[in-house]
Amino acid sequence: MDAQTLGETARKLAPSVRERARQTELDRNVPAATIKELQEAGLFRALQPKRFGGFELPPTAFYEAAIELGAACGSTGWVYGVVGVHPWQLALFPEETQEEVWGEDPSTLASSSYAPTGVVEPVDGGYRIRGRWSFSSGCGHCSWALLGGIVVRDGVPDHMTFLVPASDYAIDDVWHVAGLSGTGSNDVVIEDAFVPARRAQPTASQLGGAGVHANPIYQLPFASVFANAITASTIGIAVGAVDAY
């Protein structure tokens, strides 16, 4: 799939996404049927490495697809923007970690919550983490979560991202809101979990990705790639509002 095809695919799916928009809000979650359509169309693989079944498209193509979906259903566009950008970040982890996520199933998805609201304890071979992370959009459709935490080294705090499998956390259904009510942005709760070093990484670091995948998109700054994914979804919502008016 190329950039043009990605946009065309998103536009073709927009009508069915729009038809489910009201039910999405009522259910407080993107329907499984919608996620399946996006999966089968390959939209979640836009930024995923080719080695693991992805397309390695320019981020701008991914953003345009998020705008199309956001215009049809704000919650669906938001979840696509957030969950769909995570394959890019996963590509920055060591190859062993990427194999762990996508080796058996390239369609595997991950949610996130980057605020460092949990407790992190460095231990031999990795970290132990526990706590509650809020606003994990689309988490009910995902098998992994990227969670933020602070690790202090020589007195200097460093924001880390910890990749945790669904078997290590529970989802607390707390998402009862007015805006973006269909995003299923519930809390991820961990009692106590061990995260091996291969699944922990400084959030701002590009170490690992550049060495595993040659495509320069994996050398872009994390803040730019992720922030624009959120922005694209929001632009889509605004476009949908203008269209409705």
Side-chain angles (χ1 to χ4, degrees):
M1 182 181 291
D2 58 20
Q4 180 177 347
T5 304
L6 186 78
E8 292 173 350
T9 301
R11 281 189 289 276
K12 289 178 181 178
L13 290 178
S16 63
V17 169
R18 185 175 293 107
E19 288 177 2
R20 300 189 188 108
R22 176 58 179 164
Q23 194 61 46
T24 297
E25 300 300 297
L26 293 174
D27 292 344
R28 299 182 297 111
N29 208 355
V30 176
T34 296
I35 296 297
K36 183 179 179 181
E37 284 185 356
L38 300 182
Q39 285 275 36
E40 292 179 346
L43 292 186
F44 282 114
R45 302 193 191 195
L47 303 180
Q48 192 163 318
K50 290 182 179 179
R51 187 179 304 183
F52 295 102
F55 306 122
E56 296 186 13
L57 297 180
T60 50
F62 168 70
Y63 301 148
E64 289 172 3
I67 290 173
E68 293 287 346
L69 295 176
C73 170
S75 290
T76 299
W78 181 271
V79 169
Y80 175 69
V82 173
V83 174
V85 78
H86 292 147
W88 176 87
Q89 187 182 9
L90 290 171
L92 309 182
F93 281 82
E95 185 172 8
E96 180 183 4
T97 303
Q98 297 176 53
E99 184 70 35
E100 192 174 3
V101 175
W102 291 314
E104 294 185 3
D105 184 5
S107 67
T108 299
L109 301 176
S111 66
S112 64
S113 179
Y114 295 104
T117 53
V119 176
V120 181
E121 177 188 0
V123 295
D124 289 342
Y127 306 85
R128 299 211 72 86
I129 67 173
R130 65 183 186 276
R132 177 182 291 267
W133 289 260
S134 298
F135 314 121
S136 190
S137 300
C139 58
H141 301 290
C142 299
S143 303
W144 296 80
L146 294 154
L147 305 176
I150 298 295
V151 176
V152 179
R153 296 187 179 87
D154 299 323
V156 179
D158 187 15
H159 188 283
M160 301 277 291
T161 297
F162 299 91
L163 178 62
V164 183
S167 57
D168 283 352
Y169 60 79
I171 296 175
D172 190 4
D173 186 359
V174 298
W175 193 245
H176 298 269
V177 297
L180 291 175
S181 59
T183 60
S185 301
N186 289 301
D187 289 2
V188 169
V189 182
I190 296 179
E191 294 294 333
D192 180 62
F194 173 71
V195 181
R198 69 178 181 277
R199 287 201 262 113
Q201 188 180 59
T203 304
S205 173
Q206 303 303 303
L207 296 177
V212 176
H213 309 290
N215 195 313
I217 68 170
Y218 300 117
Q219 298 178 36
L220 295 170
F222 168 84
S224 295
V225 176
F226 190 85
N228 279 298
I230 300 298
T231 301
S233 304
T234 307
I235 291 173
I237 294 170
V239 170
V242 171
D243 289 345
Y245 175 80

